[in-house]
Amino acid sequence: MLLVTDIGNTNMVVGVYDGDNLISHWRLSSILHTSDELGIYLINLLHTKNLKPSDINGAAFASVVPSLDFSFREAVKNYFNVQPLQVNSSVDIGMKIAYKNPEGLGADRIVNAVAGVHKYGAPLIIADYGTAITFDVVNSNGEYLGGAIAPGLNSGISALFSKAAKLPEVALKVPASVIGGSTDEAIQSGIVFGNAGLTDHIVKLIQDELKTKTKVIATGGHANLIAAVSKSIDHVEIWLTLEGLRIIFNRVNNI
């Protein structure tokens, strides 16, 4: 079985594949720092699904938190007896990266692009709704071009809460009306409809530059929320990053 992990600034997403099938997955807070903490936590996750460390014979991860990279590698080596593949721009992903500084490209963006094209073909736009909102663009030749980055939904709420004393932190959901009848509803409207509008506008600008229509795939923790009101999102793939890690691991290992 294959252990795959996407380490983000806010969340860590963990999955286990049995062949091509994602049999278990978890979305966790990225709060662990030592290899022992990470190793014990991963083992306990597996136990909730009646899986053992010895069931894992491969591992791959993508990380945008450099301070956790060494700890995670050591955790997998020490607790699962597996050398994990860390995906970055130097790994053979089977896709040309036409980016000015590939070394600065987030591994999650690379992985999303690979998985998106594998399932939907090119050209393609992938919108990932996490700590940041990232838009990744693959042209009709299957080349990764780059994209756009904007603050994530929770980042927007946190900024309001920290800078405006009377504004509360609210739960994110689609409000019944754009015209909020309370402060909570007004914030929800601004954040949800505002980010849906941002999505639709950036997608249009990208497609105008490409001079072609593309499919638009949404992923990340808030993908379903924005897809409910966006006019441009075609499909939601919550576990797209995990799928990309599986595909790249299999490619590197000739599976």
Side-chain angles (χ1 to χ4, degrees):
M1 294 184 185
L2 176 66
L3 177 71
V4 290
T5 309
D6 173 29
I7 302 174
N9 289 295
T10 304
N11 292 315
M12 180 183 301
V13 182
V14 181
V16 175
Y17 277 92
D18 185 359
D20 294 345
N21 299 316
L22 181 63
I23 61 172
S24 297
H25 49 74
W26 303 267
R27 187 180 298 275
L28 317 161
S29 177
S30 298
I31 58 174
L32 305 177
H33 299 288
T34 72
S35 60
D36 288 330
E37 287 175 328
L38 287 163
I40 292 169
Y41 203 57
L42 289 170
I43 287 174
N44 286 335
L45 288 179
L46 295 186
H47 283 165
T48 66
K49 301 297 183 180
N50 296 316
L51 297 171
K52 305 183 297 295
S54 58
D55 293 327
I56 303 299
N57 52 29
F61 75 102
S63 171
V64 295
V65 188
S67 62
L68 288 180
D69 294 355
F70 177 80
S71 294
F72 189 83
R73 282 196 301 270
E74 289 299 298
V76 175
K77 285 164 57 180
N78 294 338
Y79 286 85
F80 295 88
N81 197 29
V82 168
Q83 179 68 49
L85 169 69
Q86 181 172 5
V87 176
N88 52 43
S89 61
S90 67
V91 172
D92 177 15
I93 63 170
M95 175 183 290
K96 180 179 178 181
I97 300 178
Y99 200 67
K100 292 180 180 178
N101 60 324
E103 298 79 12
L105 181 60
D108 54 339
R109 301 178 68 187
I110 297 171
V111 172
N112 284 343
V114 169
V117 171
H118 180 81
K119 186 163 186 177
Y120 294 100
L124 187 68
I125 299 172
I126 304 105
D128 189 346
Y129 298 89
T131 304
I133 301 172
T134 59
F135 296 88
D136 296 300
V137 184
V138 180
N139 67 14
S140 57
N141 294 323
E143 301 169 327
Y144 180 90
L145 301 182
I149 302 175
L153 279 70
N154 280 336
S155 300
I157 285 183
S158 296
L160 280 176
F161 178 71
S162 63
K163 299 298 183 181
K166 293 189 68 175
L167 293 182
E169 287 195 272
V170 301
L172 279 175
K173 65 178 183 179
V174 179
S177 171
V178 177
I179 304 172
S182 67
T183 301
D184 284 8
E185 290 175 355
I187 294 173
Q188 289 166 346
S189 175
I191 295 294
V192 175
F193 291 115
N195 280 284
L198 177 147
T199 295
D200 294 340
H201 187 58
I202 288 183
V203 165
K204 181 182 184 305
L205 292 175
I206 291 171
Q207 292 179 344
D208 287 348
E209 284 194 16
L210 292 175
K211 295 182 172 59
T212 186
K213 291 290 186 180
T214 71
K215 287 185 178 178
V216 180
I217 311 304
T219 190
H222 292 128
N224 280 313
L225 182 68
I226 298 302
V229 293
S230 167
K231 297 178 181 178
S232 58
I233 293 172
D234 297 306
H235 303 281
V236 174
E237 296 283 350
I238 294 297
W239 309 113
L240 189 69
T241 312
L242 300 185
E243 181 67 10
L245 286 167
R246 181 191 69 80
I247 293 167
I248 294 170
F249 178 88
N250 287 350
R251 177 182 178 83
V252 171
N253 289 280
N254 297 311
I255 296 175

